[in-house]
Amino acid sequence: MTIKEVVKSDKTLEKFNKEKLCKSLIKAGVARKDAQVICKDIIKHLPERTDTQTIHKTVHKFLCKNNLVCAVKYSLKKAIMDLGPEGRVFEKYTARILNEYGYITKVNQIMKGKCVDHEIDILAIKDGVHYIIENKYHNQRGIKSDVKVVMYLYARLLDIEEKRRENKDMAQHIAWLITNTKFTYNTILFARCRNIKLTGWKYPKKESLEKLIEEKSLYPITALPSINNTTKNLLFQNNIILIKDLTSATENDLMRIGIFRKNATKILNEAQEFLKITNKY
Amino acid sequence: MTIKEVVKSDKTLEKFNKEKLCKSLIKAGVARKDAQVICKDIIKHLPERTDTQTIHKTVHKFLCKNNLVCAVKYSLKKAIMDLGPEGRVFEKYTARILNEYGYITKVNQIMKGKCVDHEIDILAIKDGVHYIIENKYHNQRGIKSDVKVVMYLYARLLDIEEKRRENKDMAQHIAWLITNTKFTYNTILFARCRNIKLTGWKYPKKESLEKLIEEKSLYPITALPSINNTTKNLLFQNNIILIKDLTSATENDLMRIGIFRKNATKILNEAQEFLKITNKY
């Protein structure tokens, strides 16, 4: 019995593609010569019909045995889902990523428009340009950011721009949608046509969300294997969101915010090991 | 023990207002002289803290004993909720209401915009004006139509207008949001400012959704006490949406679409009685 069909996260069926799986291993850092062998081994462990998440987990298990960097990198999508259930932490995480790329950020700003006041998730400023950012967070796989989101964002930009012109404010404003999911085709078309910046999963190719994270090793703490729900919430409450943030923390710091010594040791060790290998602190 | 507090459908608490309750009886058709007596009687039957839906049900019971017209009119909000769970039937219902007011309607139209194609819930035409209608249906109480909806509707209108100008089409286009819920304050502000037409629950005062329905007695079949889930779905599948639509149906017609004779008789009797008294067919 070999795997034949895959149920994708949007519930559609797809023929299983062996090449795609083997290539994903090479992309994750497996040497080309080993990839075919590991790939065959993984396929042996999959049932005739399975879903993308199960494939993902199985690959993860095979690849990341005793390899922390692999584990963290491979679980990024899930780690971001784990920032939820609501979008508040994703908002903070996004602001932190932008900071690392040189943007000054303010979260939850009110900006006056011609018709109404607008609640802006993040206002980011860089090189004199003001970015009006809408943050769309989904805690489920298989959801795509709908064209309606960029449409209301465009209406918001126009409303704010009209007010600014009244006030003779000449700063350049650009609307920007940042999400942890993919975009529909119409979202991309509309955004291109109206000059709205998009950042999401695998889009745009060279500056997608995961590229921005990988480039500067801005992984969230939820990617560490030893983080559980309790420790996650305690760390978030204390504004520790990136694995990087843990470099300046001591065991005592973590115990002071309510984490048991045993967990604190584990978390700090993992963080240090990860950052040492990725060489990014 | 007398009622003191009311939990509203948006889960907020409100001090119980006796005057408001008594006035609602007069509005529902109770003679001014009887209203005070019935009002006191109802209050006696309510616990110290209750919710709007329980008050609604209790009033309904007291008012509508053996009075079909009262029962149908009083349950309009619930009857519209019962068109759900999805918005498809509400869309058809809205189109029917518009037809009765002289609009020509087309549902689910695709219209070209400058950037993308737009799916229009209803395109309505009257006196040369084209109305681009977005239908927003909620099957839960206490939800208000958010400003983001009128904002994306405005962006859609602009996109369609730019394309039309390219094509030298000079027809006037107006965006129109029709919903079964109330609007937030910002939605109303934005719509006024951008010339978007709004129709919802209790808004605008003289042409709100319930006024449009009452004016021409366009009650949905779900307002009839004898309609259950099965008969409702059978009737909808056969495009019988208004109580009015039942005037041209016979018992045999209803039996042919799968309704038992006993139910068919009851439904047709209720419909006939209601329409005879309201004198609107």
Side-chain angles (χ1 to χ4, degrees), chain B residues 172-195:
Chain B
Q172 194 194 350
H173 282 65
I174 289 177
W176 188 355
L177 172 60
I178 302 182
T179 169
N180 63 324
T181 54
K182 291 183 183 179
F183 298 107
T184 62
Y185 180 59
N186 265 358
T187 302
I188 293 171
L189 275 187
F190 191 89
R192 269 189 204 152
C193 177
R194 298 294 179 187
N195 198 29

PDB file of all heavy atoms in Angstrom, chain B residues 172-195:
ATOM      1  N   GLN B 172     -26.043  56.101 -13.733  1.00  0.00           N
ATOM      2  CA  GLN B 172     -25.669  56.413 -12.350  1.00  0.00           C
ATOM      3  C   GLN B 172     -25.659  55.137 -11.514  1.00  0.00           C
ATOM      4  O   GLN B 172     -26.589  54.327 -11.571  1.00  0.00           O
ATOM      5  CB  GLN B 172     -26.669  57.420 -11.772  1.00  0.00           C
ATOM      6  CG  GLN B 172     -26.158  58.035 -10.473  1.00  0.00           C
ATOM      7  CD  GLN B 172     -27.234  58.765  -9.709  1.00  0.00           C
ATOM      8  OE1 GLN B 172     -28.341  58.986 -10.203  1.00  0.00           O
ATOM      9  NE2 GLN B 172     -26.926  59.140  -8.469  1.00  0.00           N
ATOM     10  N   HIS B 173     -24.612  54.936 -10.740  1.00  0.00           N
ATOM     11  CA  HIS B 173     -24.501  53.759  -9.878  1.00  0.00           C
ATOM     12  C   HIS B 173     -24.435  54.192  -8.416  1.00  0.00           C
ATOM     13  O   HIS B 173     -23.691  55.099  -8.078  1.00  0.00           O
ATOM     14  CB  HIS B 173     -23.258  52.939 -10.236  1.00  0.00           C
ATOM     15  CG  HIS B 173     -23.441  52.108 -11.463  1.00  0.00           C
ATOM     16  ND1 HIS B 173     -23.641  52.658 -12.709  1.00  0.00           N
ATOM     17  CD2 HIS B 173     -23.478  50.752 -11.645  1.00  0.00           C
ATOM     18  CE1 HIS B 173     -23.794  51.685 -13.597  1.00  0.00           C
ATOM     19  NE2 HIS B 173     -23.696  50.518 -12.980  1.00  0.00           N
ATOM     20  N   ILE B 174     -25.214  53.518  -7.582  1.00  0.00           N
ATOM     21  CA  ILE B 174     -25.219  53.815  -6.142  1.00  0.00           C
ATOM     22  C   ILE B 174     -24.988  52.513  -5.388  1.00  0.00           C
ATOM     23  O   ILE B 174     -25.561  51.466  -5.732  1.00  0.00           O
ATOM     24  CB  ILE B 174     -26.559  54.477  -5.733  1.00  0.00           C
ATOM     25  CG1 ILE B 174     -26.628  55.905  -6.301  1.00  0.00           C
ATOM     26  CG2 ILE B 174     -26.732  54.495  -4.213  1.00  0.00           C
ATOM     27  CD1 ILE B 174     -27.933  56.625  -6.032  1.00  0.00           C
ATOM     28  N   ALA B 175     -24.122  52.548  -4.369  1.00  0.00           N
ATOM     29  CA  ALA B 175     -23.901  51.361  -3.538  1.00  0.00           C
ATOM     30  C   ALA B 175     -24.959  51.334  -2.438  1.00  0.00           C
ATOM     31  O   ALA B 175     -25.364  52.374  -1.921  1.00  0.00           O
ATOM     32  CB  ALA B 175     -22.503  51.397  -2.930  1.00  0.00           C
ATOM     33  N   TRP B 176     -25.411  50.112  -2.103  1.00  0.00           N
ATOM     34  CA  TRP B 176     -26.521  49.973  -1.144  1.00  0.00           C
ATOM     35  C   TRP B 176     -26.258  48.742  -0.273  1.00  0.00           C
ATOM     36  O   TRP B 176     -26.068  47.642  -0.800  1.00  0.00           O
ATOM     37  CB  TRP B 176     -27.822  49.827  -1.941  1.00  0.00           C
ATOM     38  CG  TRP B 176     -29.090  49.857  -1.152  1.00  0.00           C
ATOM     39  CD1 TRP B 176     -29.244  49.901   0.191  1.00  0.00           C
ATOM     40  CD2 TRP B 176     -30.424  49.856  -1.718  1.00  0.00           C
ATOM     41  NE1 TRP B 176     -30.581  49.930   0.510  1.00  0.00           N
ATOM     42  CE2 TRP B 176     -31.326  49.908  -0.633  1.00  0.00           C
ATOM     43  CE3 TRP B 176     -30.932  49.810  -3.011  1.00  0.00           C
ATOM     44  CZ2 TRP B 176     -32.710  49.914  -0.822  1.00  0.00           C
ATOM     45  CZ3 TRP B 176     -32.309  49.817  -3.199  1.00  0.00           C
ATOM     46  CH2 TRP B 176     -33.185  49.872  -2.106  1.00  0.00           C
ATOM     47  N   LEU B 177     -26.220  48.946   1.028  1.00  0.00           N
ATOM     48  CA  LEU B 177     -26.040  47.822   1.960  1.00  0.00           C
ATOM     49  C   LEU B 177     -27.388  47.493   2.603  1.00  0.00           C
ATOM     50  O   LEU B 177     -28.008  48.356   3.224  1.00  0.00           O
ATOM     51  CB  LEU B 177     -25.014  48.195   3.033  1.00  0.00           C
ATOM     52  CG  LEU B 177     -24.837  47.215   4.205  1.00  0.00           C
ATOM     53  CD1 LEU B 177     -24.395  45.837   3.734  1.00  0.00           C
ATOM     54  CD2 LEU B 177     -23.840  47.759   5.227  1.00  0.00           C
ATOM     55  N   ILE B 178     -27.824  46.257   2.424  1.00  0.00           N
ATOM     56  CA  ILE B 178     -29.092  45.824   3.034  1.00  0.00           C
ATOM     57  C   ILE B 178     -28.795  44.681   4.003  1.00  0.00           C
ATOM     58  O   ILE B 178     -28.175  43.683   3.638  1.00  0.00           O
ATOM     59  CB  ILE B 178     -30.115  45.363   1.970  1.00  0.00           C
ATOM     60  CG1 ILE B 178     -30.376  46.506   0.968  1.00  0.00           C
ATOM     61  CG2 ILE B 178     -31.422  44.931   2.627  1.00  0.00           C
ATOM     62  CD1 ILE B 178     -31.410  46.178  -0.101  1.00  0.00           C
ATOM     63  N   THR B 179     -29.233  44.837   5.251  1.00  0.00           N
ATOM     64  CA  THR B 179     -28.945  43.823   6.268  1.00  0.00           C
ATOM     65  C   THR B 179     -30.155  43.639   7.183  1.00  0.00           C
ATOM     66  O   THR B 179     -31.044  44.486   7.226  1.00  0.00           O
ATOM     67  CB  THR B 179     -27.701  44.220   7.100  1.00  0.00           C
ATOM     68  OG1 THR B 179     -27.590  43.373   8.225  1.00  0.00           O
ATOM     69  CG2 THR B 179     -27.781  45.649   7.594  1.00  0.00           C
ATOM     70  N   ASN B 180     -30.170  42.538   7.918  1.00  0.00           N
ATOM     71  CA  ASN B 180     -31.275  42.315   8.878  1.00  0.00           C
ATOM     72  C   ASN B 180     -30.880  42.760  10.286  1.00  0.00           C
ATOM     73  O   ASN B 180     -31.586  42.490  11.244  1.00  0.00           O
ATOM     74  CB  ASN B 180     -31.698  40.840   8.883  1.00  0.00           C
ATOM     75  CG  ASN B 180     -30.595  39.916   9.355  1.00  0.00           C
ATOM     76  OD1 ASN B 180     -29.441  40.166   9.062  1.00  0.00           O
ATOM     77  ND2 ASN B 180     -30.950  38.870  10.074  1.00  0.00           N
ATOM     78  N   THR B 181     -29.722  43.415  10.418  1.00  0.00           N
ATOM     79  CA  THR B 181     -29.293  43.867  11.744  1.00  0.00           C
ATOM     80  C   THR B 181     -29.214  45.390  11.788  1.00  0.00           C
ATOM     81  O   THR B 181     -29.521  46.059  10.816  1.00  0.00           O
ATOM     82  CB  THR B 181     -27.899  43.304  12.075  1.00  0.00           C
ATOM     83  OG1 THR B 181     -27.010  43.660  11.015  1.00  0.00           O
ATOM     84  CG2 THR B 181     -27.925  41.810  12.229  1.00  0.00           C
ATOM     85  N   LYS B 182     -28.790  45.901  12.938  1.00  0.00           N
ATOM     86  CA  LYS B 182     -28.596  47.342  13.071  1.00  0.00           C
ATOM     87  C   LYS B 182     -27.225  47.723  12.526  1.00  0.00           C
ATOM     88  O   LYS B 182     -26.398  46.867  12.242  1.00  0.00           O
ATOM     89  CB  LYS B 182     -28.704  47.733  14.544  1.00  0.00           C
ATOM     90  CG  LYS B 182     -30.128  47.570  15.078  1.00  0.00           C
ATOM     91  CD  LYS B 182     -30.205  48.040  16.510  1.00  0.00           C
ATOM     92  CE  LYS B 182     -31.605  47.818  17.062  1.00  0.00           C
ATOM     93  NZ  LYS B 182     -31.713  48.247  18.457  1.00  0.00           N
ATOM     94  N   PHE B 183     -26.967  49.018  12.424  1.00  0.00           N
ATOM     95  CA  PHE B 183     -25.666  49.500  11.958  1.00  0.00           C
ATOM     96  C   PHE B 183     -24.905  50.135  13.112  1.00  0.00           C
ATOM     97  O   PHE B 183     -25.511  50.726  14.002  1.00  0.00           O
ATOM     98  CB  PHE B 183     -25.848  50.539  10.853  1.00  0.00           C
ATOM     99  CG  PHE B 183     -26.541  50.009   9.635  1.00  0.00           C
ATOM    100  CD1 PHE B 183     -27.852  50.363   9.350  1.00  0.00           C
ATOM    101  CD2 PHE B 183     -25.885  49.144   8.772  1.00  0.00           C
ATOM    102  CE1 PHE B 183     -28.500  49.877   8.231  1.00  0.00           C
ATOM    103  CE2 PHE B 183     -26.522  48.643   7.655  1.00  0.00           C
ATOM    104  CZ  PHE B 183     -27.842  49.009   7.380  1.00  0.00           C
ATOM    105  N   THR B 184     -23.586  50.050  13.087  1.00  0.00           N
ATOM    106  CA  THR B 184     -22.801  50.788  14.076  1.00  0.00           C
ATOM    107  C   THR B 184     -22.845  52.267  13.697  1.00  0.00           C
ATOM    108  O   THR B 184     -23.151  52.627  12.552  1.00  0.00           O
ATOM    109  CB  THR B 184     -21.320  50.349  14.084  1.00  0.00           C
ATOM    110  OG1 THR B 184     -20.750  50.642  12.807  1.00  0.00           O
ATOM    111  CG2 THR B 184     -21.171  48.881  14.390  1.00  0.00           C
ATOM    112  N   TYR B 185     -22.512  53.116  14.667  1.00  0.00           N
ATOM    113  CA  TYR B 185     -22.528  54.565  14.448  1.00  0.00           C
ATOM    114  C   TYR B 185     -21.569  54.936  13.312  1.00  0.00           C
ATOM    115  O   TYR B 185     -21.913  55.736  12.434  1.00  0.00           O
ATOM    116  CB  TYR B 185     -22.110  55.252  15.758  1.00  0.00           C
ATOM    117  CG  TYR B 185     -22.070  56.752  15.682  1.00  0.00           C
ATOM    118  CD1 TYR B 185     -23.210  57.487  15.344  1.00  0.00           C
ATOM    119  CD2 TYR B 185     -20.892  57.448  15.950  1.00  0.00           C
ATOM    120  CE1 TYR B 185     -23.170  58.875  15.267  1.00  0.00           C
ATOM    121  CE2 TYR B 185     -20.850  58.838  15.883  1.00  0.00           C
ATOM    122  CZ  TYR B 185     -21.991  59.535  15.534  1.00  0.00           C
ATOM    123  OH  TYR B 185     -21.943  60.901  15.459  1.00  0.00           O
ATOM    124  N   ASN B 186     -20.394  54.325  13.297  1.00  0.00           N
ATOM    125  CA  ASN B 186     -19.407  54.609  12.248  1.00  0.00           C
ATOM    126  C   ASN B 186     -19.878  54.189  10.865  1.00  0.00           C
ATOM    127  O   ASN B 186     -19.552  54.829   9.876  1.00  0.00           O
ATOM    128  CB  ASN B 186     -18.075  53.905  12.574  1.00  0.00           C
ATOM    129  CG  ASN B 186     -17.119  54.831  13.300  1.00  0.00           C
ATOM    130  OD1 ASN B 186     -17.439  56.002  13.531  1.00  0.00           O
ATOM    131  ND2 ASN B 186     -15.953  54.334  13.652  1.00  0.00           N
ATOM    132  N   THR B 187     -20.643  53.088  10.801  1.00  0.00           N
ATOM    133  CA  THR B 187     -21.185  52.662   9.511  1.00  0.00           C
ATOM    134  C   THR B 187     -22.100  53.749   8.960  1.00  0.00           C
ATOM    135  O   THR B 187     -22.027  54.104   7.776  1.00  0.00           O
ATOM    136  CB  THR B 187     -21.993  51.341   9.669  1.00  0.00           C
ATOM    137  OG1 THR B 187     -21.129  50.352  10.215  1.00  0.00           O
ATOM    138  CG2 THR B 187     -22.542  50.869   8.352  1.00  0.00           C
ATOM    139  N   ILE B 188     -22.948  54.288   9.824  1.00  0.00           N
ATOM    140  CA  ILE B 188     -23.890  55.325   9.393  1.00  0.00           C
ATOM    141  C   ILE B 188     -23.129  56.587   8.962  1.00  0.00           C
ATOM    142  O   ILE B 188     -23.409  57.169   7.911  1.00  0.00           O
ATOM    143  CB  ILE B 188     -24.904  55.618  10.523  1.00  0.00           C
ATOM    144  CG1 ILE B 188     -25.795  54.377  10.732  1.00  0.00           C
ATOM    145  CG2 ILE B 188     -25.758  56.841  10.200  1.00  0.00           C
ATOM    146  CD1 ILE B 188     -26.683  54.435  11.947  1.00  0.00           C
ATOM    147  N   LEU B 189     -22.125  56.973   9.756  1.00  0.00           N
ATOM    148  CA  LEU B 189     -21.311  58.155   9.424  1.00  0.00           C
ATOM    149  C   LEU B 189     -20.648  57.992   8.055  1.00  0.00           C
ATOM    150  O   LEU B 189     -20.716  58.871   7.205  1.00  0.00           O
ATOM    151  CB  LEU B 189     -20.197  58.339  10.462  1.00  0.00           C
ATOM    152  CG  LEU B 189     -20.503  59.096  11.744  1.00  0.00           C
ATOM    153  CD1 LEU B 189     -19.215  59.307  12.529  1.00  0.00           C
ATOM    154  CD2 LEU B 189     -21.178  60.430  11.456  1.00  0.00           C
ATOM    155  N   PHE B 190     -19.990  56.837   7.859  1.00  0.00           N
ATOM    156  CA  PHE B 190     -19.248  56.617   6.617  1.00  0.00           C
ATOM    157  C   PHE B 190     -20.206  56.585   5.418  1.00  0.00           C
ATOM    158  O   PHE B 190     -19.927  57.168   4.370  1.00  0.00           O
ATOM    159  CB  PHE B 190     -18.448  55.308   6.697  1.00  0.00           C
ATOM    160  CG  PHE B 190     -17.467  55.134   5.570  1.00  0.00           C
ATOM    161  CD1 PHE B 190     -16.173  55.621   5.675  1.00  0.00           C
ATOM    162  CD2 PHE B 190     -17.834  54.495   4.391  1.00  0.00           C
ATOM    163  CE1 PHE B 190     -15.263  55.481   4.629  1.00  0.00           C
ATOM    164  CE2 PHE B 190     -16.936  54.355   3.337  1.00  0.00           C
ATOM    165  CZ  PHE B 190     -15.645  54.838   3.454  1.00  0.00           C
ATOM    166  N   ALA B 191     -21.347  55.920   5.592  1.00  0.00           N
ATOM    167  CA  ALA B 191     -22.309  55.787   4.492  1.00  0.00           C
ATOM    168  C   ALA B 191     -22.861  57.158   4.088  1.00  0.00           C
ATOM    169  O   ALA B 191     -22.968  57.473   2.900  1.00  0.00           O
ATOM    170  CB  ALA B 191     -23.439  54.839   4.900  1.00  0.00           C
ATOM    171  N   ARG B 192     -23.187  57.983   5.068  1.00  0.00           N
ATOM    172  CA  ARG B 192     -23.696  59.330   4.768  1.00  0.00           C
ATOM    173  C   ARG B 192     -22.655  60.126   4.002  1.00  0.00           C
ATOM    174  O   ARG B 192     -22.940  60.798   3.021  1.00  0.00           O
ATOM    175  CB  ARG B 192     -23.990  60.068   6.085  1.00  0.00           C
ATOM    176  CG  ARG B 192     -25.407  59.860   6.551  1.00  0.00           C
ATOM    177  CD  ARG B 192     -25.699  60.788   7.721  1.00  0.00           C
ATOM    178  NE  ARG B 192     -26.782  60.244   8.506  1.00  0.00           N
ATOM    179  CZ  ARG B 192     -26.953  60.457   9.796  1.00  0.00           C
ATOM    180  NH1 ARG B 192     -26.089  61.206  10.472  1.00  0.00           N
ATOM    181  NH2 ARG B 192     -27.990  59.938  10.422  1.00  0.00           N
ATOM    182  N   CYS B 193     -21.423  60.038   4.479  1.00  0.00           N
ATOM    183  CA  CYS B 193     -20.308  60.819   3.944  1.00  0.00           C
ATOM    184  C   CYS B 193     -19.990  60.404   2.506  1.00  0.00           C
ATOM    185  O   CYS B 193     -19.584  61.224   1.693  1.00  0.00           O
ATOM    186  CB  CYS B 193     -19.133  60.596   4.889  1.00  0.00           C
ATOM    187  SG  CYS B 193     -17.600  61.350   4.446  1.00  0.00           S
ATOM    188  N   ARG B 194     -20.193  59.111   2.180  1.00  0.00           N
ATOM    189  CA  ARG B 194     -19.837  58.595   0.848  1.00  0.00           C
ATOM    190  C   ARG B 194     -21.060  58.288  -0.011  1.00  0.00           C
ATOM    191  O   ARG B 194     -20.951  57.591  -1.030  1.00  0.00           O
ATOM    192  CB  ARG B 194     -18.997  57.314   0.995  1.00  0.00           C
ATOM    193  CG  ARG B 194     -17.685  57.502   1.719  1.00  0.00           C
ATOM    194  CD  ARG B 194     -16.725  58.375   0.970  1.00  0.00           C
ATOM    195  NE  ARG B 194     -15.472  58.561   1.687  1.00  0.00           N
ATOM    196  CZ  ARG B 194     -14.527  59.399   1.283  1.00  0.00           C
ATOM    197  NH1 ARG B 194     -14.676  60.131   0.203  1.00  0.00           N
ATOM    198  NH2 ARG B 194     -13.420  59.551   1.991  1.00  0.00           N
ATOM    199  N   ASN B 195     -22.225  58.748   0.438  1.00  0.00           N
ATOM    200  CA  ASN B 195     -23.457  58.573  -0.339  1.00  0.00           C
ATOM    201  C   ASN B 195     -23.784  57.105  -0.605  1.00  0.00           C
ATOM    202  O   ASN B 195     -24.144  56.728  -1.722  1.00  0.00           O
ATOM    203  CB  ASN B 195     -23.331  59.361  -1.655  1.00  0.00           C
ATOM    204  CG  ASN B 195     -24.681  59.594  -2.291  1.00  0.00           C
ATOM    205  OD1 ASN B 195     -25.694  59.668  -1.579  1.00  0.00           O
ATOM    206  ND2 ASN B 195     -24.713  59.688  -3.602  1.00  0.00           N
TER     207      ASN B 195
END
